[in-house]
Amino acid sequence: MAQHESTYVPKSATARWWDERLPLMRLLHDSFVDYPTPRNLNYLWTFGGILSFCLVAQILTGIVLAMHYQPSAAEAFNSVEHIRRNVNYGWMIRNFHAVGASMFFIAVYIHIFRGLYYGSYKAPREILWILGVLIFLVMMATAFMGYALPWGQMSFWGVTVITNLFSSLDGIFPGLGTAIVEWLWGGYAVTGTTLNRFFSLHYLLPFVIAGLVVLHVWALHVAGQNNPTGLDIKTKSDAVPMHPYATSKDLLWMFIFLIMFAWFVFFLPDYLGHADNYIEANPLVTPPHIVPEWYFLPFYAILRAIPDKLGGVIAMFAAIAILVFIPWLDTSRVRSTKYRPIYKWFFWLFAFSCLALGYLGSKPAEGVYVFWARIFTFYYFAHFLLVMPIVGILETPKKLPRSITDAVLGGKGDGSGGAAKPKGAAAAPESR
Amino acid sequence: MKTLMSNTLRAAGMLAAVLATSAVMTGPGNAAGGEPIHIEREDWSFGGFFGHFDRPQLRRGFQVYKDVCAACHGLSRVYFRNLAEPGGPMFDEASVQALAKDWPNQITDGPNDEGNMFQRPAKLSDPIHGPYKNEQEARFVNNGAYPPDLSNIIKARTIENHDAWYAHVFKMGRDILTGYQEAGADYVHALLVGYTDPPSGFELSEGMHYNKAFPGHQIAMNPPIPPEGAVEYQENAGAKSSLEQNARDVTAFLAWASDPSLESRKRIGWQVMLYLLVTTVLLYIAKHRIWARVKKR
Ligand code: HEM
């Protein structure tokens, strides 16, 4: 829908002067004000805006933290305590940043499952989807390195366990894994050198994410937004201008999200973290349970479900990499799961598996926990490799509405169906 | 043919979902890791959304720390000045100054003009040090055990959750809705009152003490507070000294020490919440009016 005609009219001489030289305002106006959005978007479509907010919030709070933080093995923990105790409102900035990472992941998981449910990865949105997977991957790297920075017990041992995983690559080519691990560490053990480089990368990667987000939004504005019906925008009445329609919803849900965010920042700042991280890193004392942050738990469970270390590492990375291929694994003719009576069940089974894997990832890798982790790991992959291709071919989708407008007005019983042209839409996109 | 296939598939999908659910229900309960230790949830003045410290309690708690715990434990991330600041025990500044001056564990400063380090009395801007120069000395004096610095102890401890997965989910929901963050305080309180005789058959190593709350039940710390209480509270202190009372008070004091901004955090939290709620209502109304133009033709 990026091809829609520009409706930007410069309102002053200065604006016109600018517009003839660098039409930045025109680009923003056409992308975020007069951009046609499907009229039937539900609140799950507000998470893109929420994610952008999260990224900006992490960068701003992070820059302030970095003014007081010291990335050395001797001082990292002390400097975070200094931020908590002595810097004016340091506790607040730090809570916003630490809780913000969790909120970022809550939002991104909702965003991903939204895409999975409504088939937003299907043509013509494959590149858009793959860019999303890349953002997710870089986010995970950023958060992992960020969690190392306070240099508490869980920081240190989390880094030790996860970086050590790469040593299993020795099984593919002798010496390869060891070389990678030593290269990551900058030495023969996790030390202040490791911390230092993690800090450097933790500062860099969010800006890489910002670049990827620009591409992601660009791709979105070329393909147009998907919507709960999965149908394309066909007529003017299917769409409304982004502003004020989509923006008013975005803002409302951003504030609802902020209520939850603030709830954790002010009343439960440590709930999502680990008590052990309030103990300074000590290479001589191993904590009884080494557990990653909650947002990594499903992948951690997959890692430990495989009896072989190398196999586990491969499975863990494959669990993310496989997302890249689902635009081609899904053979369904319709996008939205709303119209897929059989796949619907498998979708919820998949969602349940992910939650179950998250729970199992937080438990010790023994007994029944391992058994169930294996079952759900199997389903995780089977969902993409078997269910998506096979169900898509065999299933008969429900009857689709004729258009987005039909889907919105049809059930409302005003009898006029899709032929009616609502007042708001008359003033919509191109005709304004 | 096609419908038959899809019906079969649908049944298979449903069956799989139901199986998965019920199987996990009966699955891992207390599968792993030692027998669970039960620790009561206490009622803390600083817990929950309206939580704030009980000033007289913090003062009593500091007295317990000073007279008992400070013999072995430092509090180095807390500065003497903090004891006079809002949100804490709020002793008056002159008495804190006097306290700092007389604190037995002096500050190593220097080098002086002759190039030597020297000991001097503490000032308001100095940390509350424990008795030992370093971990080695602490272990040497305590038979190899290490009394940790207590500045962060409440945040650095928690209670492990051993519930079955479905109970886990409910508990998590309840804790989030009620703002429960006091597991560390509950643990330290339980530890201090948790000394008992070992159950028969329990093998206690030399120099160790049995404690109900401590993981593994063998702790090197002597019971720090005797049953009748360890300190004499002043007449107007607001409570009578006893093991239970001393333990509660020192735990509250340590909770403040590890989270000195708790009161302003919760106060600002409510202001932020109020602002967010009001704005959300306004945004809801605005959204409704904007969309009314589209929906109602
Ligand atoms: C994608 C965005 C980001 C994510 C997901 C993220 C995540 C995290 C996490 C999980 C922590 C550990 C929090 C804790 O438990 O204390 C952390 C710490 C930190 N981050 Fe970030 N971060 C992001 C962006 C940034 C940026 C842009 C900067 C600097 C400009 C930054 C600077 C810091 C610093 C200095 C710390 C250590 C202080 C502390 O631990 O509280 N972060 N980050």
Side-chain angles (χ1 to χ4, degrees):
Chain A
M1 299 304 293
Q3 297 80 3
H4 79 283
E5 268 167 59
S6 176
T7 57
Y8 177 67
V9 184
K11 291 206 177 66
S12 68
T14 326
R16 209 166 320 120
W17 188 91
W18 265 101
D19 195 48
E20 282 157 11
R21 286 161 181 78
L22 180 69
L24 183 63
M25 291 311 290
R26 179 179 297 278
L27 178 72
L28 293 178
H29 179 88
D30 295 341
S31 311
F32 300 110
V33 177
D34 191 30
Y35 182 75
T37 57
R39 60 183 295 181
N40 61 336
L41 297 185
N42 62 30
Y43 66 91
L44 287 170
W45 266 265
T46 64
F47 279 86
I50 290 172
L51 282 162
S52 314
F53 167 83
C54 287
L55 179 62
V56 173
Q58 287 307 93
I59 290 180
L60 293 182
T61 53
I63 288 175
V64 178
L65 286 175
M67 293 175 185
H68 302 278
Y69 173 76
Q70 297 190 308
S72 76
E75 286 306 317
F77 191 87
N78 291 339
S79 69
V80 173
E81 282 300 310
H82 170 69
I83 291 170
R84 282 184 59 223
R85 290 165 185 275
N86 303 328
V87 174
N88 288 336
Y89 296 102
W91 58 268
M92 189 145 85
I93 302 285
R94 197 228 168 190
N95 287 355
F96 262 110
H97 197 77
V99 170
S102 283
M103 295 299 134
F104 208 157
F105 277 92
I106 290 178
V108 88
Y109 282 129
I110 293 175
H111 194 67
I112 292 174
F113 274 89
R114 186 278 318 257
L116 287 173
Y117 188 83
Y118 293 110
S120 301
Y121 47 84
K122 290 175 82 69
R125 300 187 181 83
E126 300 93 326
I127 299 285
L128 173 60
W129 171 261
I130 292 170
L131 283 165
V133 176
L134 285 179
I135 292 172
F136 179 48
L137 194 66
V138 183
M139 256 178 81
M140 297 213 277
T142 308
F144 171 66
M145 296 194 221
Y147 195 62
L149 302 186
W151 213 236
Q153 274 289 67
M154 215 42 107
S155 300
F156 180 89
W157 289 98
V159 170
T160 305
V161 169
I162 300 298
T163 49
N164 251 318
L165 292 176
F166 289 96
S167 66
S168 64
L169 295 178
D170 281 346
I172 297 179
F173 184 82
L176 174 69
T178 313
I180 291 180
V181 173
E182 285 170 8
W183 178 73
L184 287 173
W185 287 345
Y188 302 106
V190 176
T191 61
T193 313
T194 322
L195 174 62
N196 221 191
R197 60 186 53 195
F198 275 23
F199 178 54
S200 173
L201 292 174
H202 183 69
Y203 209 136
L204 172 69
L205 291 184
F207 296 93
V208 173
I209 296 179
L212 288 169
V213 169
V214 170
L215 296 181
H216 189 72
V217 173
W218 186 6
L220 171 72
H221 283 201
V222 171
Q225 280 166 293
N226 189 24
N227 63 79
T229 62
L231 299 174
D232 292 326
I233 295 180
K234 288 175 198 142
T235 60
K236 273 183 207 165
S237 73
D238 285 345
V240 289
M242 176 152 172
H243 183 72
Y245 296 103
T247 44
S248 66
K249 268 189 194 170
D250 281 349
L251 210 59
L252 171 63
W253 281 91
M254 177 161 335
F255 267 75
I256 293 173
F257 184 79
L258 277 175
I259 291 176
M260 175 181 73
F261 199 147
W263 193 264
F264 278 96
V265 166
F266 291 101
F267 299 110
L268 290 158
D270 297 307
Y271 187 80
L272 299 162
H274 297 286
D276 274 339
N277 233 24
Y278 278 101
I279 303 171
E280 190 166 2
N282 184 347
L284 302 177
V285 179
T286 318
H289 300 301
I290 301 174
V291 188
E293 289 289 87
W294 70 265
Y295 35 81
F296 294 132
L297 290 174
F299 300 102
Y300 194 55
I302 291 176
L303 167 80
R304 298 186 306 172
I306 312 289
D308 172 61
K309 189 173 170 193
L310 177 60
V313 173
I314 292 173
M316 182 174 72
F317 283 103
I320 300 162
I322 200 168
L323 297 173
V324 168
F325 301 100
I326 64 175
W328 298 279
L329 288 169
D330 180 359
T331 54
S332 167
R333 278 167 295 141
V334 302
R335 293 200 185 99
S336 175
T337 304
K338 225 171 141 177
Y339 306 104
R340 302 186 59 187
I342 298 169
Y343 179 72
K344 190 178 267 172
W345 287 94
F346 288 102
F347 174 85
W348 290 112
L349 179 60
F350 176 72
F352 180 82
S353 301
C354 291
L355 291 176
L357 283 169
Y359 171 75
L360 294 165
S362 75
K363 292 286 163 187
E366 53 195 42
V368 273
Y369 295 130
V370 177
F371 173 77
W372 284 109
R374 288 188 182 150
I375 300 280
F376 288 115
T377 300
F378 172 79
Y379 187 69
Y380 183 97
F381 288 103
H383 182 81
F384 295 124
L385 295 173
L386 298 174
V387 173
M388 275 197 166
I390 296 174
V391 175
I393 293 171
L394 297 181
E395 175 184 58
T396 318
K398 283 194 208 152
K399 196 164 165 296
L400 296 175
R402 265 181 301 150
S403 69
I404 294 174
T405 309
D406 239 23
V408 177
L409 299 181
K412 293 271 192 295
D414 65 356
S416 55
K421 227 189 208 163
K423 198 166 136 225
E430 294 84 352
S431 61
R432 258 211 332 210
Chain B
M1 183 61 205
K2 193 100 188 237
T3 34
L4 182 70
M5 288 269 263
S6 44
N7 277 337
T8 323
L9 263 177
R10 180 188 309 179
M14 267 197 262
L15 190 68
V18 170
L19 266 181
T21 322
S22 60
V24 176
M25 288 266 214
T26 52
N30 280 329
E35 108 272 26
I37 298 173
H38 180 73
I39 288 171
E40 283 302 326
R41 287 191 176 186
E42 301 291 324
D43 205 7
W44 299 106
S45 74
F46 51 87
F49 297 117
F50 299 100
H52 54 84
F53 291 110
D54 172 357
R55 217 77 44 207
Q57 180 172 48
L58 291 188
R59 295 177 180 189
R60 295 194 301 269
F62 176 70
Q63 193 189 346
V64 177
Y65 168 72
K66 174 169 76 78
D67 292 347
V68 185
C69 324
C72 303
H73 295 279
L75 199 65
S76 306
R77 293 186 192 280
V78 179
Y79 295 82
F80 284 101
R81 63 178 162 79
N82 297 142
L83 295 172
E85 283 166 4
M90 289 174 79
F91 291 114
D92 69 83
E93 205 169 293
S95 63
V96 178
Q97 221 148 13
L99 177 88
K101 203 163 127 268
D102 294 336
W103 196 253
N105 313 315
Q106 293 199 331
I107 304 295
T108 308
D109 207 343
N112 62 13
D113 294 347
E114 293 160 17
N116 298 321
M117 303 303 279
F118 58 92
Q119 297 287 112
R120 63 160 174 80
K123 294 187 291 214
L124 282 179
S125 55
D126 286 316
I128 304 180
H129 277 313
Y132 309 117
K133 287 196 288 292
N134 45 44
E135 182 174 338
Q136 284 72 9
E137 187 192 359
R139 284 192 190 275
F140 180 71
V141 175
N142 289 284
N143 286 325
Y146 177 52
D149 186 280
L150 295 181
S151 314
N152 270 350
I153 197 77
I154 301 292
K155 289 219 179 260
R157 293 292 182 275
T158 187
I159 299 173
E160 269 197 45
N161 192 333
H162 293 279
D163 300 310
W165 74 276
Y166 42 90
H168 204 108
V169 173
F170 284 114
K171 212 173 198 176
M172 227 167 78
R174 189 188 62 183
D175 290 351
I176 289 173
L177 288 176
T178 57
Y180 173 75
Q181 259 221 151
E182 287 73 46
D186 290 342
Y187 168 76
V188 170
H189 169 268
L191 179 83
L192 295 175
V193 301
Y195 287 91
T196 57
D197 293 329
S200 58
F202 189 91
E203 281 203 36
L204 211 52
S205 314
E206 179 71 25
M208 299 298 256
H209 309 271
Y210 186 85
N211 188 300
K212 282 189 294 192
F214 192 68
H217 300 305
Q218 301 208 45
I219 187 165
M221 169 165 70
N222 279 314
I225 308 169
E228 68 281 6
V231 297
E232 199 67 51
Y233 284 154
Q234 275 168 355
E235 280 296 315
N236 58 359
K240 289 249 177 311
S241 185
S242 68
L243 167 59
E244 165 64 23
Q245 192 63 40
N246 287 178
R248 291 188 74 79
D249 293 348
V250 76
T251 302
F253 170 74
L254 292 173
W256 166 77
S258 61
D259 198 357
S261 52
L262 182 141
E263 286 191 358
S264 48
R265 169 161 67 76
K266 292 190 179 181
R267 197 182 56 245
I268 296 174
W270 277 114
Q271 290 160 357
V272 170
M273 277 316 200
L274 198 66
Y275 162 75
L276 289 176
L277 285 170
V278 170
T279 314
T280 304
V281 171
L282 294 178
L283 286 171
Y284 177 77
I285 296 168
K287 189 223 120 184
H288 247 267
R289 298 179 73 162
I290 289 167
W291 279 85
R293 290 184 241 158
V294 180
K295 292 255 163 79
K296 285 201 234 94
R297 7 192 268 94

